[in-house]
Amino acid sequence: MVLCIIAFFVFAVMSIFSAKYRPLAKEGLKCVFKTITFRPCDTGLDDRIKARLVSELLKFSPGAAKVLNKHFVIFSWLFVLLTFGSLAYSIYGFYNFYVYGNCDGPDSVNGCVLNDITGDYGRFSEPKDLIVPTNYDGLTEGNPNGTLKIIEFGCFTCPYTKKAEDTVQGLLQEYDGQIYYVFKPFPLPNHNNSFEAARAVLCARDQGKMWEFRKEVFKQQDVCRTDGTLAIKELAQNAQLDMDKFNKCYDNNETDAELGKYVQQGKDAHIYATPTFFVNDKPVVGPKTLDQFRCEIEKKDSLVKEIGCLLGQWWG
Amino acid sequence: MKEIKKDFPVLVNNPDIVYLDSACTSLKPMQVIEAEMEYYKKFGACAGRSSHRLGRETNQRLDECREKVAKFVNAEKDGLIWTRNATEGLNIVANGFDFSKRKKVVTSIVEHHSVLLPLIKLRDQGKIKLDVVGCDKEGNVDFSKIDRETALVVTNSWNNILGTGRKINEIAKLAHDNGALICVDGAQGVPHHKTDFKNLDFLCFSGHKMLAPTGIGALVCKTDHLAKLKPLMTGGGAVKTVELNKVVELPTQERFEAGIQHYAGIFGFASACEYLNKIGMEEVEKHEATLAKAFYEELKSAGAMIYGPDSPQNHSALYSFGFKNAKAHDIALMLDREKIAVRSGFFCAQPAMEVIGAGDGATRVSGYIYNTPEDAKRFGEILKKINVLYS
Ligand SMILES: Cc1ncc(COP(=O)(O)O)c(C=O)c1O
């Protein structure tokens, strides 16, 4: 029976620590072999597991024990599938964590995890843990008196911040006149050359060419990450910056004091992933779609819209 | 009887276990274990071969043992052959019997594989004509098929599936009236019921089911039948003289006991007979009748189906049972979770299980002298809980 597949794994691990479990692991292996070749398992291990589970349950709930006893095969299949499903999912998560610094992979809505900065290993924060920043300094755009104030903490070499960029552009267009957008660079140490990129964008801002340069950086994010300064300077040229000025600013770390301020603000806000937005003080973590932002912004307008948003969130 | 449990180390060492699988093998009392050790501690020599004092003493003690075990079934000591178990005895009779004049063997379907398989083998080899008498749902067998062609009737006195017995003396008379002999499988009868060999020709039983060690049993024969029986194997101790072209076998039962025997087991076997005699087989039967009634009531009130006759009358303390839609093995395993030891499966009697309607196996409860009505009660309590799973 399928259950012995799990029994085998469990006993195999246990038998590393105690010889007592080795015969059981052997029995499990035999049974697994029979099961996968579609023969009945004749070691009796499966029957013993069943008797044990049903007897234990019988002590607490005869009704539940009866159901388990009757549909034991179905339950064991479910259990095995769930176990393997979650095992595969965990392995996928570890892989993603290793490759992307995030358990959910490149399409995650959770953004780049930066436990490295906050030191919160093992403790994954939630949006409700965030503290709304108290000022609007940073790379700004739009109407400072607008009704829609959006702050973004982002990292120029974070794929999720890049992913959110289209949404940011969409918001700036759609809510033109109402929106005041503030970008606070928040370079993550686990992304190569993130500080360099942030420094460079600030230097470009000093020349009034923040958006042009920023666009280049996101477009060439991979190269930025791998080649660092070399690539960044080339991009600066592409964005037609005054290279003398740029080199001076960049090479002398002229913007680092400012950058340090934003990083501190991010830490104070308990940012745990990039990008993190505050939409009229409401935290939104991860690269959400324009639709999702619209929901955040407008959902209080009507019940129908609110339900639509909820469904959308659930679906997306 | 209440104090008996104290004699059984397995029960003393596992006070929470209720052992209800004595039909498979019984537990052994300390007296038997000590008798077995006594051989190794005080005797330790060969019998019937060495003339030194230890050898002589061993020989004498074994002789006494033979007498005790034979007496236990009211038989002559000269007709008793030591075997490993009932199975060996049954094989010796089937293979050593003289079928030159009559070829027909009558047996029943409610028999242990140890009865059926040697006979089926002989039938397939063309050496005998086998008539396996069927039975009704209650396991009753009609032996009127015994006729003047019949050479041998093989039957149990009590069976290990239904816990029922046979009127063995009547069957023996029918056989003898037709000029046939009878071989009785006493594996379940001898341990639990007073057994008298007087009217029988061959009787096979195992020590381990009657408090004795494993690996020792007996085949009891009428001495004139023994003289005509051929042994299954031969070797040291079974012969009188050996020349390369002439071997003279011993005329006595030693002819069947080639090689050194299980002396310690024999010591234990005799001690087991003594132990049972001390209680008295009538007392054993009475105790088991009480147990049979207690099991019956517990099974009934737990809603179990009992295979065979639905009554505790004339019943050993042994029942095969089941629940509708339940796997026999599951029941046994769940009882085991509560430290109650019963057996499940086909009990080495698959053809019988088919005809009594337990083709997928059954669960079997069987008691012995060390079991009490309290044991039956605990068994019943757990069984009632298990029944909930299938009701
Ligand atoms: C009726 C009957 N006959 C024969 C045997 C065989 O006994 P053994 O295995 O000791 O040879 C048994 C044992 O279960 C039995 O119950």
Side-chain angles (χ1 to χ4, degrees):
Chain A
M1 196 202 285
V2 285
L3 214 50
C4 55
I5 299 174
I6 291 180
F8 165 63
F9 280 114
V10 172
F11 289 135
V13 171
M14 280 159 89
S15 60
I16 297 171
F17 304 105
S18 164
K20 192 171 100 182
Y21 297 105
R22 272 167 222 167
L24 285 170
K26 245 188 190 164
E27 223 180 293
L29 180 64
K30 231 171 149 182
C31 189
V32 168
F33 190 68
K34 294 241 161 164
T35 303
I36 58 176
T37 49
F38 301 106
R39 286 175 297 171
C41 157
D42 55 6
T43 66
L45 181 66
D46 48 350
D47 290 337
R48 290 207 304 281
I49 296 173
K50 177 182 172 185
R52 179 159 197 161
L53 294 175
V54 173
S55 308
E56 291 303 319
L57 193 56
L58 194 57
K59 283 180 199 152
F60 301 104
S61 163
K66 187 173 169 179
V67 174
L68 177 65
N69 186 55
K70 195 161 172 194
H71 305 291
F72 194 74
V73 176
I74 296 171
F75 280 113
S76 30
W77 267 105
L78 271 177
F79 183 70
V80 169
L81 292 178
L82 281 176
T83 305
F84 278 97
S86 59
L87 188 70
Y89 204 65
S90 306
I91 293 171
Y92 176 68
F94 278 116
Y95 170 78
N96 282 333
F97 192 77
Y98 178 73
V99 175
Y100 304 104
N102 175 312
C103 296
D104 292 333
D107 296 328
S108 160
V109 292
N110 289 327
C112 290
V113 177
L114 51 117
N115 290 333
D116 315 43
I117 288 188
T118 55
D120 277 350
Y121 284 106
R123 179 181 160 268
F124 288 87
S125 305
E126 289 179 48
K128 67 176 170 43
D129 299 330
L130 293 167
I131 296 166
V132 182
T134 48
N135 69 58
Y136 292 103
D137 53 359
L139 305 170
T140 60
E141 183 71 43
N143 174 6
N145 299 318
T147 48
L148 174 59
K149 293 203 165 58
I150 296 182
I151 298 175
E152 177 185 0
F153 282 91
C155 166
F156 289 111
T157 49
C158 162
Y160 301 102
T161 306
K162 173 180 172 176
K163 203 172 166 195
E165 190 64 7
D166 281 348
T167 310
V168 169
Q169 298 299 337
L171 287 168
L172 285 171
Q173 261 180 26
E174 192 165 327
Y175 296 96
D176 188 26
Q178 306 167 43
I179 188 169
Y180 187 53
Y181 170 75
V182 181
F183 185 89
K184 293 176 188 279
F186 194 72
L188 301 186
N190 57 335
H191 292 312
N192 285 344
N193 297 311
S194 58
F195 282 88
E196 284 78 353
R199 186 194 301 152
V201 175
L202 289 175
C203 288
R205 187 263 333 257
D206 289 349
Q207 296 188 28
K209 293 210 166 163
M210 189 271 279
W211 287 113
E212 290 87 335
F213 182 66
R214 172 175 169 148
K215 202 167 134 195
E216 289 293 328
V217 170
F218 277 134
K219 210 158 93 188
Q220 303 294 335
Q221 194 183 57
D222 289 348
V223 192
C224 273
R225 243 195 338 236
T226 49
D227 296 356
T229 302
L230 203 69
I232 285 168
K233 288 196 172 170
E234 207 180 307
L235 294 178
Q237 224 150 20
N238 292 354
Q240 296 180 337
L241 296 182
D242 175 337
M243 285 313 286
D244 286 345
K245 262 191 187 169
F246 181 82
N247 284 340
K248 185 174 157 279
C249 171
Y250 182 85
D251 293 341
N252 298 329
N253 302 341
E254 282 177 4
T255 55
D256 276 13
E258 188 189 353
L259 183 56
K261 198 174 69 183
Y262 300 138
V263 169
Q264 190 53 48
Q265 285 175 9
K267 288 183 184 174
D268 292 345
H270 290 190
I271 301 293
Y272 58 87
T274 57
T276 292
F277 297 88
F278 293 89
V279 181
N280 281 343
D281 293 350
K282 172 139 197 303
V284 173
V285 178
K288 297 284 186 314
T289 61
L290 193 54
D291 260 352
Q292 286 167 313
F293 270 94
R294 271 189 211 118
C295 278
E296 279 307 330
I297 296 162
E298 294 171 12
K299 75 176 169 196
K300 284 171 198 77
D301 286 8
S302 81
L303 188 66
V304 178
K305 262 190 190 166
E306 190 155 351
I307 293 171
C309 285
L310 276 175
L311 284 173
Q313 266 173 6
W314 171 74
W315 182 250
Chain B
M1 290 302 246
K2 271 238 153 64
E3 296 297 297
I4 273 182
K5 275 189 199 243
K6 287 206 194 99
D7 287 344
F8 291 80
V10 171
L11 296 177
V12 174
N13 293 328
N14 305 280
D16 46 351
I17 283 187
V18 177
Y19 187 77
L20 297 176
D21 191 20
S22 296
C24 195
T25 196
S26 74
L27 302 176
K28 329 297 178 202
M30 206 54 222
Q31 289 86 333
V32 167
I33 297 166
E34 270 163 10
E36 195 173 15
M37 282 202 300
E38 198 189 358
Y39 165 73
Y40 294 112
K41 284 183 176 169
K42 296 192 189 152
F43 294 80
C46 288
R49 295 154 169 81
S50 310
S51 53
H52 53 73
R53 72 189 54 228
L54 285 176
R56 290 199 309 273
E57 281 169 10
T58 307
N59 206 33
Q60 178 171 350
R61 177 66 174 269
L62 285 173
D63 219 40
E64 288 163 21
C65 290
R66 204 189 284 275
E67 174 129 35
K68 267 184 202 151
V69 176
K71 269 244 171 74
F72 188 77
V73 291
N74 191 26
E76 297 284 321
K77 94 172 194 296
D78 292 342
L80 188 142
I81 300 165
W82 297 123
T83 59
R84 274 178 296 167
N85 43 35
T87 303
E88 188 181 347
L90 290 160
N91 272 276
I92 291 175
V93 174
N95 289 283
F97 193 86
D98 179 8
F99 290 112
S100 60
K101 294 206 182 74
R102 294 186 185 185
K103 276 199 162 32
K104 181 166 153 178
V105 176
V106 176
T107 187
S108 83
I109 195 154
V110 190
E111 300 293 344
H112 195 271
H113 290 167
S114 294
V115 168
L116 292 175
L117 297 187
L119 296 176
I120 287 172
K121 197 167 163 195
L122 289 177
R123 178 200 66 193
D124 293 347
Q125 290 169 345
K127 292 182 180 162
I128 61 167
K129 246 177 74 190
L130 184 60
D131 202 339
V132 181
V133 185
C135 71
D136 61 17
K137 264 254 184 262
E138 306 217 316
N140 297 314
V141 174
D142 176 9
F143 275 97
S144 61
K145 287 222 172 160
I146 299 170
D147 55 16
R148 298 214 63 85
E149 276 177 33
T150 308
L152 184 67
V153 179
V154 189
T155 165
N156 61 64
S157 51
W158 290 79
N159 68 65
N160 64 326
I161 313 144
L162 304 172
T164 52
R166 290 194 179 136
K167 294 190 169 121
I168 211 70
N169 284 325
E170 286 177 19
I171 303 168
K173 185 166 184 304
L174 189 60
H176 293 157
D177 287 349
N178 283 285
L181 300 187
I182 182 164
C183 172
V184 172
D185 166 13
Q188 294 298 340
V190 176
H192 303 276
H193 304 273
K194 196 169 170 58
T195 306
D196 191 340
F197 180 67
K198 192 173 65 206
N199 298 322
L200 311 180
D201 302 300
F202 304 97
L203 173 66
C204 311
F205 53 105
S206 292
H208 71 91
K209 291 188 202 283
M210 48 185 289
L211 313 180
T214 52
I216 189 69
L219 160 60
V220 181
C221 318
K222 287 275 154 58
T223 41
D224 43 344
H225 302 325
L226 186 144
K228 287 183 213 137
L229 205 59
K230 281 206 213 72
L232 264 187
M233 58 180 210
T234 185
V239 285
K240 204 163 155 188
T241 57
V242 181
E243 290 163 35
L244 282 187
N245 39 22
K246 188 158 189 270
V247 174
V248 181
E249 286 186 327
L250 281 166
T252 53
Q253 73 268 64
E254 279 96 342
R255 186 159 51 96
F256 295 85
E257 297 167 358
I260 293 290
Q261 298 294 294
H262 182 11
Y263 301 142
I266 294 169
F267 278 39
F269 200 174
S271 160
C273 291
E274 252 172 52
Y275 190 95
L276 287 170
N277 279 334
K278 214 153 138 203
I279 298 170
M281 282 314 281
E282 288 86 356
E283 207 48 46
V284 171
E285 281 185 310
K286 234 174 28 208
H287 176 75
E288 290 203 18
T290 317
L291 268 186
K293 203 153 161 260
F295 285 150
Y296 179 81
E297 276 158 15
E298 295 298 339
L299 285 165
K300 277 283 162 194
S301 66
M305 320 180 272
I306 294 174
Y307 293 104
D310 193 8
S311 149
Q313 300 305 318
N314 297 321
H315 214 288
S316 283
L318 181 159
Y319 295 89
S320 290
F321 64 94
F323 290 112
K324 215 169 177 185
N325 300 326
K327 264 165 70 185
H329 207 45
D330 286 353
I331 299 174
L333 283 172
M334 279 189 274
L335 284 164
D336 174 59
R337 294 291 320 157
E338 301 298 328
K339 306 242 166 71
I340 295 173
V342 299
R343 191 170 153 183
S344 56
F346 299 98
F347 319 128
C348 298
Q350 214 173 340
M353 297 294 281
E354 285 287 345
V355 292
I356 62 163
D360 292 328
T363 312
R364 181 180 74 185
V365 57
S366 58
Y368 206 12
I369 50 172
Y370 34 72
N371 292 119
T372 57
E374 287 78 55
D375 291 346
K377 207 174 220 150
R378 225 184 106 200
F379 163 72
E381 270 164 27
I382 308 299
L383 213 56
K384 271 176 214 132
K385 284 191 192 155
I386 293 173
N387 181 33
V388 173
L389 299 174
Y390 302 101
S391 53

